[in-house]
Amino acid sequence: MIAFQGLTKSYPGKPPLLDEVDFRINRGGFYFLTGANGAGKTTVFKLMTLNELPNRGEIFFDGKPISRLRHRQRAFHRRRVGMVCQDQDHWLLTRETIEENVALPLRISGIHGRTLRKRTLEQLEQVGLAHRRTEQVKGLSGGEKQLVSIARALVLEPPLFLADEPTGNLDQAVAFKVMEVLKAIHQAGCTVVVATHDQGVVAVIRPDGSGGFSVHELDRQPATIVHEIELGDLDGDGVLEVYATPTAPNQVDGTPQPGKVVRYIPAAGEGRVEVADLGRRHAKEILVDDLDGDGRDELYVSVEGVAGGSVEIRYKTLEQLDDVIRRLGGASI
């Protein structure tokens, strides 16, 4: 659907923010664009919408180059890309109603009357705000403003939707609602790309009895990615343990990704306990299961391969978790 080819973007007096970047977003996918503040996530979105242009390289949409389009053609392209950002107060007309805000792109595009009302109401129903459409935006919470922004960005029915830190300032319940809306529009056929900070979040999500879900966050680590979550009972006491694999973010220059294996026991109120430090490497996969048939679970870890080495699969029983096996430059579990 949209692709960068050899794309470089820099600003005067600074090193390139994006340097010879190549990637492709396929139609119908749901993607996450991760990175710390200043890594270039918002710039990628601005390039996709042609609000910024590359210094070198090309951007393709549906196989056609678009970075050299004329001004009016760029405006037409933006109708094919819906976008929301973290701070919506600069984008919404706070003195207007919810309905007027969502209808605005349709009016600008020359759509009026019954068609405008129908499409506006459909989008408001999708985000759960149809019954409040006559309220002014200025009285809404941050999460409700985000939902209005999503409805407005989708009212022209774009095939591509970009969400730049859509849950950054929201509490867990509202953030979950926003992600549920994004999931729904993806299931309806829209390609979705979400930009987010590297954030290692481990949470328990349960039905709340009213058709929604409650979110209980166990842990949050900045500048971290959680690759895998596994459940098991290594000590055989009937209480489930949660195992996770937090690592440092991916680096395009090949910098090592130090990683660990950690454990949580929500029912016992036990927070993060480090089970294994993998040194400069990280876990690719983990499994908690009773593979040897002795009636008790074991923890299996597939550890990242290194130059000149190979992928290792290691396992530990409860009694072995305190042991340290050192291989390949000191990595241990």
Side-chain angles (χ1 to χ4, degrees):
M1 166 173 261
I2 193 163
F4 285 13
Q5 187 176 91
L7 190 140
T8 295
K9 179 63 182 179
S10 61
Y11 297 95
K14 297 182 178 180
L17 189 58
L18 304 173
D19 192 10
E20 296 292 327
V21 172
D22 294 280
F23 73 81
R24 177 181 300 276
I25 299 294
N26 293 319
R27 185 177 293 274
F30 196 124
Y31 297 85
F32 286 92
L33 179 63
T34 65
N37 277 332
K41 302 186 300 296
T42 298
T43 298
V44 169
F45 279 4
K46 288 181 177 179
L47 288 162
M48 287 182 176
T49 57
L50 299 182
N51 286 304
E52 294 273 4
L53 298 176
N55 300 94
R56 293 193 307 274
E58 186 56 83
I59 305 169
F60 293 88
F61 193 93
D62 284 344
K64 298 178 180 178
I66 61 173
S67 65
R68 292 170 179 80
L69 294 178
R70 296 172 183 247
H71 181 75
R72 289 189 64 183
Q73 292 173 312
R74 289 183 214 162
F76 176 78
H77 167 71
R78 292 182 191 118
R79 297 182 187 180
R80 302 183 294 182
V81 185
M83 180 173 172
V84 297
C85 64
Q86 181 174 330
D87 185 1
Q88 295 302 330
D89 285 342
H90 298 300
W91 293 52
L92 295 175
L93 305 176
T94 57
R95 294 183 181 273
E96 298 293 340
T97 65
I98 294 173
E99 188 171 27
E100 280 300 314
N101 270 272
V102 174
L104 182 61
L106 295 171
R107 295 190 190 280
I108 293 173
S109 301
I111 300 172
H112 302 283
R114 184 176 298 174
T115 301
L116 179 145
R117 290 191 295 273
K118 178 176 181 292
R119 288 172 62 173
T120 300
L121 185 60
E122 286 175 349
Q123 291 304 325
L124 287 173
E125 287 174 344
Q126 181 162 254
V127 300
L129 291 174
H131 63 295
R132 301 178 60 185
R133 61 187 180 274
T134 60
E135 296 181 26
Q136 285 189 325
V137 166
K138 66 180 180 181
L140 301 181
S141 68
E144 290 164 344
K145 289 178 181 178
Q146 189 67 282
L147 292 171
V148 174
S149 297
I150 291 172
R152 187 171 72 175
L154 292 170
V155 76
L156 289 176
E157 300 176 350
L160 176 63
F161 181 77
L162 310 177
D164 191 1
E165 303 285 357
T167 62
N169 292 327
L170 307 181
D171 62 40
Q172 292 175 2
V174 179
F176 188 80
K177 170 64 177 176
V178 169
M179 293 308 297
E180 281 289 288
V181 171
L182 298 186
K183 178 182 176 182
I185 66 176
H186 170 250
Q187 291 175 336
C190 186
T191 304
V192 178
V193 185
V194 178
T196 182
H197 291 303
D198 289 323
Q199 193 75 249
V201 177
V202 178
V204 178
I205 301 175
R206 299 184 178 91
D208 63 8
S210 62
F213 295 87
S214 64
V215 181
H216 173 56
E217 190 172 298
L218 300 179
D219 198 8
R220 177 182 294 265
Q221 296 176 266
T224 302
I225 294 172
V226 177
H227 283 285
E228 291 282 326
I229 296 285
E230 275 285 323
L231 303 180
D233 181 17
L234 265 68
D235 60 8
D237 65 354
V239 179
L240 279 179
E241 302 134 13
V242 179
Y243 292 86
T245 59
T247 75
N250 291 292
Q251 301 291 336
V252 296
D253 62 0
T255 301
Q257 279 183 273
K260 303 178 186 297
V261 179
V262 299
R263 182 190 69 204
Y264 310 86
I265 307 180
E270 182 181 288
R272 186 197 323 151
V273 173
E274 185 177 305
V275 170
D277 186 341
L278 303 177
R280 291 162 58 83
R281 301 159 67 192
H282 64 275
K284 303 296 288 186
E285 301 282 345
I286 61 172
L287 172 67
V288 179
D289 205 347
D290 177 20
L291 297 188
D292 60 10
D294 67 353
R296 296 179 65 179
D297 287 341
E298 305 90 40
L299 169 64
Y300 295 82
V301 183
S302 171
V303 184
E304 175 197 34
V306 295
S310 59
V311 174
E312 298 175 54
I313 299 178
R314 310 174 184 177
Y315 86 97
K316 282 196 174 293
T317 62
L318 176 67
E319 291 77 12
Q320 295 171 314
L321 287 180
D322 292 330
D323 296 339
V324 177
I325 302 174
R326 300 188 179 278
R327 299 189 207 170
L328 294 176
S332 64
I333 182 170

